[in-house]
Amino acid sequence: MKAIVNRIIPFSSVDGPGNRTAIFLQGCNINCKYCHNPETRRLCINCGACVGQCPAGALSLGEDNRVIWDQGACVQCDTCIHVCPNDSSPKVREMTPEEVYAAVKRQIPFIRGISVSGGECMLWPDFLKALFTLAKADGLGCLIDSNGTIPLWNYPELLEISDGVMLDIKAFDDTDHRRITDEGNGIVLKNAVFLAKHGKLEEVRAVIVPDLYDGEKSIRGIGTLLAPYRNIREIRIKLIAYRPMGVREAYSHYQVPSPECLTQLADILREMGFKDIVII
Ligand code: SF4
Ligand code: SF4
């Protein structure tokens, strides 16, 4: 069993509580206009467009016409990512859960757990279950970072072994969600309630983009939906300001929300009883 791994960050303080190793899997099933890691969206189709552009000679085409990445020669200039017409990256590795966990294990004295993100990591549920089984045996916490479009109630064993899900709710309104991601949010909202009811909703993440959708309407909707479940487990809500860094050029023109706008949204949630609100 293997997954395509885009990268492993040994120490991260922004991918869940405490210091964690963050693992990013390749491939996504939606198309967020403000995606900050667009090179994780698709699997490489071996078109070869990046190969001749590498200034370090770290890319080549194999006999089977597959792109080969020489990690030792790579100078991490990201030219390949910028020239890829497919929102992909040649700098990925097919890895087993055991291989990924070997990279995690080195950090054990210094980390509280692992978080798996993407792309959309729920496209690799069997891999997640195997990886989390290894991590749990060493006492590590295990969190899933998901866009919520895959029905999580279909994976009870994976959820049982996970400490929770950090769930994106890109917008509460279905039309807004479609504008942002090209997909509706029916399953996302069902997942939010399902996870909250079962004490598995670690946090909700909302990226605030004032000229893309109505943030206040969305935050009020999310708050109303989830407030009844706060007594099961306090739900952290993370309000994330849109920033253009890393975003595809066609979508990098959106307005960055003001600090006042974010504070106002946090106040709305506080009035609804939410206590753990983070603005980043
Ligand atoms: S980041 Fe890409 S283009 Fe740059 S050296 Fe590495 S493989 Fe080559
Ligand atoms: S990473 Fe992109 S440009 Fe390079 S071969 Fe794959 S699809 Fe083509």
Side-chain angles (χ1 to χ4, degrees):
M1 183 202 305
K2 289 185 175 182
I4 298 180
V5 178
N6 180 282
R7 64 187 182 279
I8 299 173
I9 298 180
F11 302 109
S12 167
S13 57
V14 296
D15 292 288
N19 205 11
R20 312 182 76 82
T21 296
I23 298 131
F24 294 81
L25 303 185
Q26 188 75 17
C28 189
N29 58 337
I30 60 173
N31 180 25
C32 299
K33 305 298 183 290
Y34 52 65
C35 180
H36 289 86
N37 303 308
E39 74 280 6
T40 64
R41 288 194 59 242
R42 295 202 182 113
L43 304 186
C44 173
I45 53 171
N46 296 295
C47 71
C50 58
V51 173
Q53 304 289 325
C54 175
L59 299 173
S60 58
L61 276 179
E63 279 176 11
D64 55 359
N65 274 334
R66 291 174 73 87
V67 173
I68 299 167
W69 173 50
D70 180 348
Q71 192 171 0
C74 176
V75 295
Q76 299 295 348
C77 67
D78 282 351
T79 301
C80 49
I81 288 170
H82 295 134
V83 301
C84 176
N86 185 48
D87 287 349
S88 189
S89 168
K91 299 188 291 172
V92 296
R93 283 182 295 162
E94 253 186 62
M95 297 175 80
T96 62
E98 290 75 16
E99 286 167 336
V100 170
Y101 193 62
V104 170
K105 222 171 155 84
R106 293 194 280 271
Q107 276 76 249
I108 280 187
F110 314 107
I111 58 170
R112 188 162 150 188
I114 62 172
S115 297
V116 188
S117 184
E120 172 50 44
C121 69
M122 278 305 299
L123 295 171
W124 308 90
D126 295 337
F127 178 90
L128 288 183
K129 199 172 104 188
L131 176 62
F132 285 3
T133 302
L134 294 168
K136 279 286 167 187
D138 282 333
L140 292 174
C142 299
L143 292 173
I144 295 168
D145 177 355
S146 173
N147 65 31
T149 56
I150 292 166
L152 296 169
W153 53 87
N154 288 338
Y155 301 94
E157 290 174 14
L158 172 58
L159 286 180
E160 182 64 33
I161 204 167
S162 311
D163 295 295
V165 177
M166 300 182 285
L167 185 78
D168 296 343
I169 303 185
K170 314 277 186 187
F172 187 76
D173 180 85
D174 187 72
T175 308
D176 284 343
H177 198 276
R178 281 179 198 279
R179 189 178 328 112
I180 298 165
T181 71
D182 293 346
E183 297 292 336
N185 69 356
I187 294 173
V188 180
L189 300 185
K190 277 187 192 161
N191 271 329
V193 171
F194 169 78
L195 293 169
K197 271 185 183 167
H198 290 84
K200 291 285 185 180
L201 189 52
E202 170 72 21
E203 80 181 21
V204 168
R205 296 170 163 188
V207 177
I208 307 302
V209 197
D211 49 347
L212 187 57
Y213 74 103
D214 185 338
E216 181 177 337
K217 190 169 105 186
S218 196
I219 291 303
R220 284 191 190 281
I222 293 168
T224 306
L225 181 76
L226 297 177
Y229 306 106
R230 282 189 40 250
N231 59 342
I232 297 171
R233 173 180 178 171
E234 184 59 47
I235 301 164
R236 183 182 315 114
I237 301 195
K238 209 173 249 182
L239 301 172
I240 304 170
Y242 163 80
R243 295 177 182 89
M245 282 82 80
V247 174
R248 288 167 288 180
E249 202 178 331
Y251 305 116
S252 60
H253 59 278
Y254 295 119
Q255 190 187 327
V256 176
S258 65
E260 294 75 27
C261 163
L262 297 166
T263 304
Q264 195 187 347
L265 297 176
D267 288 344
I268 290 170
L269 290 165
R270 273 192 206 97
E271 279 166 25
M272 291 177 154
F274 288 89
K275 293 191 168 44
D276 191 356
I277 301 159
V278 179
I279 296 176
I280 58 172

